[in-house]
């Protein structure tokens, strides 16, 4: 199993600013995933972060808006840049291995005002 | 294309009723995993079950049971004798095998909001 610590758990930010979300895993994992859950919606994959290479972004998400770092096998950050109210969502990091469940952090509830 | 459909947006039941949440999936892979997660109002995702594509045996865990039918590409979830604490959003999800077997992202359905009243 894996335990994921995600910080901050929530934040209220001014539009135009940036927020960096941290995700720490208690074991080494090859791939980490970042999801967004807009209010009342399902989870949508933002990007896949592989250690040692650039993140792979899904359609509709760009690196300038959601830069991701993956400095080692237990840590990743997602930055939400130049925020607008439309970025208000829950952001979740996740890790998965083929032979186990997918583990999720507690999520970061972001409100942009 | 991979897709997960949860046609029921909201379901309301009274305590002790049985309720079934439907999940239909699409995939071209022969190897894949199906998941159910519960998201209570607090927001965290609670893992309920993972089922691989080669195991069609139904599973029961307490009041929860799952019916996996490859012939209809369905993976339905039944709660028996529902309780108020079962009120939550339930997500069905699909994961396909990647070449490096390092795990893949999940494709989520839109979720079903279950409300259980006393």
């Amino acid at each position: 199993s894996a335990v994921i610590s995600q910080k901050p758990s929530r934040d209220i930010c001014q539009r135009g600013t940036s927020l960096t979300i941290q995700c720490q895993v208690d074991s080494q994992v090859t791939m980490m995933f970042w999801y967004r859950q807009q209010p009342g919606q399902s989870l949508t994959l933002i990007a896949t972060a592989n250690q040692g290479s650039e993140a792979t972004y899904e359609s509709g998400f760009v690196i300038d808006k959601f830069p991701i770092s993956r400095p080692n096998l237990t840590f990743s950050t997602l930055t939400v840049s130049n925020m607008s109210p439309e970025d208000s969502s829950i952001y979740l990091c996740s890790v998965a291995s083929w032979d186990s469940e997918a583990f999720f952090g507690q999520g970061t509830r972001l409100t942009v005002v | 294309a991979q897709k997960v459909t949860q046609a029921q947006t909201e379901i309301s039941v009274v305590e002790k009723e049985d309720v079934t949440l439907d999940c239909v999936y699409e995939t071209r892979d022969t190897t894949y995993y199906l998941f159910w997660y519960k998201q209570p109002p607090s927001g965290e995702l609670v893992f309920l079950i993972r089922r691989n594509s080669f195991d069609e045996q139904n599973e029961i865990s307490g009041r929860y049971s799952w019916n996996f039918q490859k012939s209809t590409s369905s993976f339905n979830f039944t709660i028996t004798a529902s309780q108020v604490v079962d009120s939550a959003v339930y997500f069905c999800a699909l994961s396909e095998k990647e070449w490096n077997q390092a795990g893949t992202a999940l494709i989520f359905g839109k979720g079903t909001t279950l409300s259980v009243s006393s």
Side-chain angles (χ1 to χ4, degrees):
Chain A
S1 67
V3 177
I4 301 177
S5 174
Q6 190 174 334
K7 295 191 294 187
S9 59
R10 60 177 62 229
D11 208 341
I12 301 174
C13 300
Q14 297 291 322
R15 67 178 67 201
T17 63
S18 298
L19 175 71
T20 295
I21 302 168
Q22 299 180 4
C23 183
Q24 178 77 52
V25 187
D26 68 343
S27 57
Q28 294 185 340
V29 294
T30 303
M31 295 167 76
M32 296 178 73
F33 307 96
W34 286 97
Y35 293 85
R36 181 177 73 181
Q37 186 178 22
Q38 295 177 300
Q41 302 296 315
S42 185
L43 283 78
T44 301
L45 181 67
I46 297 171
T48 301
N50 206 348
Q51 194 269 336
S53 62
E54 283 199 7
T56 302
Y57 289 83
E58 298 298 303
S59 176
F61 297 97
V62 296
I63 188 171
D64 289 345
K65 176 67 176 177
F66 297 101
I68 289 173
S69 76
R70 185 78 201 277
N72 57 52
L73 290 173
T74 64
F75 188 77
S76 179
T77 66
L78 168 76
T79 298
V80 186
S81 303
N82 189 23
M83 288 184 285
S84 67
E86 292 70 37
D87 295 319
S88 298
S89 298
I90 299 174
Y91 293 85
L92 299 103
C93 67
S94 173
V95 301
S97 63
W98 182 239
D99 61 348
S100 74
E101 67 180 269
F103 300 91
F104 287 85
Q106 293 287 84
T108 296
R109 194 179 294 265
L110 171 63
T111 302
V112 183
V113 298
Chain B
Q2 314 89 353
K3 187 178 178 181
V4 176
T5 301
Q6 294 179 257
Q8 304 150 308
T9 305
E10 296 183 13
I11 301 177
S12 295
V13 299
V14 177
E15 240 183 344
K16 299 184 183 177
E17 282 186 32
D18 297 347
V19 58
T20 295
L21 310 182
D22 297 333
C23 174
V24 175
Y25 62 93
E26 295 176 31
T27 177
R28 289 172 293 188
D29 280 9
T30 57
T31 303
Y32 52 89
Y33 279 95
L34 295 164
F35 300 76
W36 276 95
Y37 283 86
K38 174 183 179 180
Q39 188 176 44
S42 54
E44 78 273 18
L45 281 172
V46 179
F47 169 78
L48 296 178
I49 190 171
R50 179 184 66 108
R51 172 68 70 206
N52 76 54
S53 53
F54 298 107
D55 183 1
E56 287 193 71
Q57 194 169 10
N58 291 333
E59 181 152 340
I60 298 174
S61 176
R63 297 184 296 107
Y64 296 167
S65 62
W66 290 269
N67 184 323
F68 177 29
Q69 292 195 346
K70 288 179 75 172
S71 60
T72 56
S73 297
S74 65
F75 187 44
N76 296 336
F77 172 35
T78 297
I79 302 174
T80 303
S82 59
Q83 300 176 2
V84 173
V85 292
D86 295 327
S87 297
V89 181
Y90 291 86
F91 291 100
C92 180
L94 167 71
S95 174
E96 295 175 331
K97 182 177 180 180
E98 283 288 340
W99 65 273
N100 60 1
Q101 300 192 36
T104 68
L106 301 188
I107 301 161
F108 285 84
K110 291 187 181 297
T112 298
T113 300
L114 174 64
S115 298
V116 183
S117 58
S118 57

